[in-house]
Amino acid sequence: SVAAAANGEAPAAAPGSGDPSAAAQVAAAAKADAAEKKAKSYVGNKIVVCCVDNAATQVAVQLLLSLLKPSRDLVMLVTVVSQQPGADAAGRAFLAKIGDQVKSALVDVVEDVLIRSSLSLVEMIESYVDEVQADLVIVGSDGLSGPGAGGTSIGSSSGASGPARGSFGPGK
């Protein structure tokens, strides 16, 4: 599963601990917390925000903040990184900055780093969205326009029988 891959790698040991088992315990606790939040029933929406380190993501986050219902919504911040050593940690640090900004809106936040696979970027995002049963997807328009992105954007609505999906950001 895509979400399992997002939480599959343990981070480096907790700062100052030097103990790999402590890092494993921290990673397991974070994974359990994220799984609990994803499984919880929300009065509001489950919102996936696809994050890339660019201006379009900042616009997407500003849009998100204007839509949130405090104590009702779940925001799942997602980024896709390469399989290079250290990319996972860099992705987590990047999402943590955005997560701090979103948590100020008093909503639950999950930060997932997906490791790039043979799937296109669009396929990875669609798989994640389906798995977490998101109600809304927010993507900065630059996030799907790079090489290997698949050449399409997420923008279909499945009506009343399923979750709605949309893409937002500059140029949309």
Side-chain angles (χ1 to χ4, degrees):
S1 83
V2 174
N7 295 312
E9 290 187 27
S17 75
D19 180 5
S21 65
Q25 290 174 353
V26 170
K31 184 176 180 179
D33 182 55
E36 181 180 322
K37 286 178 181 177
K38 289 176 191 175
K40 179 179 167 184
S41 178
Y42 284 85
V43 175
N45 294 304
K46 289 184 173 181
I47 304 169
V48 171
V49 182
C50 302
C51 302
V52 179
D53 194 4
N54 64 21
T57 293
Q58 288 305 315
V59 171
V61 169
Q62 292 306 311
L63 170 68
L64 169 72
L65 292 172
S66 71
L67 297 172
L68 292 176
K69 293 174 263 170
S71 302
R72 294 177 167 229
D73 292 332
L74 169 64
V75 175
M76 292 166 277
L77 303 173
V78 180
T79 193
V80 180
V81 299
S82 72
Q83 297 179 11
Q84 299 291 329
D88 181 60
R92 290 190 188 288
F94 167 65
L95 289 182
K97 289 180 193 173
I98 297 172
D100 289 345
Q101 189 178 0
V102 175
K103 288 173 189 171
S104 70
L106 305 175
V107 296
D108 283 340
V109 176
V110 172
E111 298 159 4
D112 280 331
V113 175
L114 307 181
I115 307 299
R116 189 68 192 245
S117 70
S118 60
L119 297 175
S120 74
L121 184 59
V122 171
E123 290 169 327
M124 289 185 73
I125 293 168
E126 285 179 338
S127 177
Y128 181 87
V129 167
D130 289 342
E131 189 171 317
V132 300
Q133 299 177 346
D135 299 306
L136 177 68
V137 178
I138 299 177
V139 181
S141 63
D142 290 344
L144 293 175
S145 62
T152 62
S153 65
I154 298 172
S156 65
S157 173
S158 58
S161 64
R165 298 182 188 134
S167 62
F168 305 94
K172 294 288 179 189

